[in-house]
Amino acid sequence: DIVYATLPFNLLALLCFRGGERTLRVVDVVDIWPDVLPFPRSVKWLLAPLFAVWRRSFTAAIASADILIAVSDRFLHESLPAFRGAPDAARRLYIGHPPLPRSTCTHADGLTIAYVGNIGHLCDLETLLDAMTQCEVIPKLLLVGDGDRRAWLLEALTRRGISHEYFGIVYDDTTLAGILCRADLGFNGYRNTSAAFSYKANTYLASGLPLLNSMSGDLHDLVAKHEFGFNYRAEDAGALVECLRAATPATLKRLRANAERFFCECLDQRRLKEELESWLRSHLRAVRP
């Protein structure tokens, strides 16, 4: 009765839609490939014809859909020109996350920063380390995750004299909550991306952590509007140092309250499920009684 496809993968979604023309087709834009992929400009120029075909499969999948969902306002705006359905059959819904258990734990003296996720080349890790070592009192770093730069990062932290703890990959929510409750800020710094939202930002907000954010788009605007963190320019250690210096106990208390409020109102997975179900029920009947 219904084909539900996420983009990417563009071509696979298009083929599913073409093979199910008598079904109701829902497309969910989680990312826009190849646009958000961090290829160097020279590669984008050399492979422009291939990228044009790649992009065309994206717009063709959007054009074949009856209902459009996107995880950010930016992705929705970029998808709408190709969407042929009714205007009210398109909706932005942010990525949901289950609330993390609240844990009571003692904070260390000074500032503590948490990083959760892939330890790879997209992360603005050099800027983070440079900024931390420029602070009058060097913050502590809590690391959860893994990636091809793990060994480099741990060696760099030790060499620079930055206090840190590495926990590896953590799947259990209670264990993760027990780690994040010890932090003051969650690092959401990216070096070269045009994505508009991140899963790690949701993880931080689910635990009530304010953000250190360099991602543009929706998340940048939400941080500024709802004041649940600090925005800085990617690869600008000076700008990040100013954010760290502004993170006084009183400011962090206010930002944490704002982060918890924003999560409950906009990102709580239970609330989003109810909202999505209600919206889909009404529009599935309207599009295909």
Side-chain angles (χ1 to χ4, degrees), residues 6 81 104 156 175 184 196 232 239:
T6 62
T104 302
T175 303
D184 301 296
Y232 77 97

Short mmCIF file of all heavy atoms in Angstrom, two decimals, residues 6 81 104 156 175 184 196 232 239:
data_model
loop_
_atom_site.label_atom_id
_atom_site.label_comp_id
_atom_site.label_asym_id
_atom_site.label_seq_id
_atom_site.Cartn_x
_atom_site.Cartn_y
_atom_site.Cartn_z
N THR A 6 13.95 6.66 2.17
CA THR A 6 14.77 7.78 2.64
C THR A 6 15.79 8.15 1.57
O THR A 6 16.25 7.31 0.81
CB THR A 6 15.53 7.42 3.94
OG1 THR A 6 16.42 6.34 3.67
CG2 THR A 6 14.58 7.04 5.05
N PRO A 81 11.29 22.58 -4.70
CA PRO A 81 11.14 22.87 -6.13
C PRO A 81 10.86 21.65 -7.00
O PRO A 81 10.21 21.76 -8.04
CB PRO A 81 12.48 23.52 -6.50
CG PRO A 81 12.95 24.13 -5.23
CD PRO A 81 12.52 23.18 -4.16
N THR A 104 22.88 11.80 38.47
CA THR A 104 23.49 12.77 39.37
C THR A 104 24.95 12.39 39.56
O THR A 104 25.26 11.28 40.00
CB THR A 104 22.78 12.79 40.73
OG1 THR A 104 21.40 13.08 40.53
CG2 THR A 104 23.39 13.84 41.65
N ALA A 156 47.63 13.12 20.50
CA ALA A 156 47.69 14.59 20.53
C ALA A 156 47.24 15.13 21.88
O ALA A 156 47.82 16.10 22.40
CB ALA A 156 46.82 15.15 19.41
N THR A 175 24.62 4.08 30.66
CA THR A 175 26.07 4.30 30.74
C THR A 175 26.44 5.62 30.09
O THR A 175 27.25 6.40 30.63
CB THR A 175 26.82 3.15 30.05
OG1 THR A 175 26.45 1.92 30.66
CG2 THR A 175 28.33 3.34 30.18
N ASP A 184 30.06 19.73 30.76
CA ASP A 184 29.40 21.04 30.75
C ASP A 184 28.92 21.41 29.36
O ASP A 184 27.94 22.15 29.21
CB ASP A 184 30.36 22.12 31.25
CG ASP A 184 30.85 21.86 32.66
OD1 ASP A 184 30.02 21.85 33.59
OD2 ASP A 184 32.07 21.65 32.83
N ALA A 196 22.66 20.27 7.94
CA ALA A 196 21.93 21.25 8.73
C ALA A 196 21.61 20.79 10.14
O ALA A 196 21.17 21.57 10.97
CB ALA A 196 20.61 21.61 8.01
N TYR A 232 30.35 28.91 16.71
CA TYR A 232 31.65 29.46 16.35
C TYR A 232 31.93 29.13 14.89
O TYR A 232 31.29 28.25 14.32
CB TYR A 232 32.77 28.91 17.25
CG TYR A 232 33.21 27.50 16.92
CD1 TYR A 232 34.33 27.27 16.13
CD2 TYR A 232 32.50 26.39 17.39
CE1 TYR A 232 34.73 25.97 15.81
CE2 TYR A 232 32.89 25.10 17.08
CZ TYR A 232 34.00 24.90 16.28
OH TYR A 232 34.40 23.62 15.97
N ALA A 239 37.75 32.09 17.82
CA ALA A 239 36.31 32.19 18.07
C ALA A 239 35.87 31.14 19.09
O ALA A 239 35.02 31.41 19.96
CB ALA A 239 35.54 32.01 16.77
#
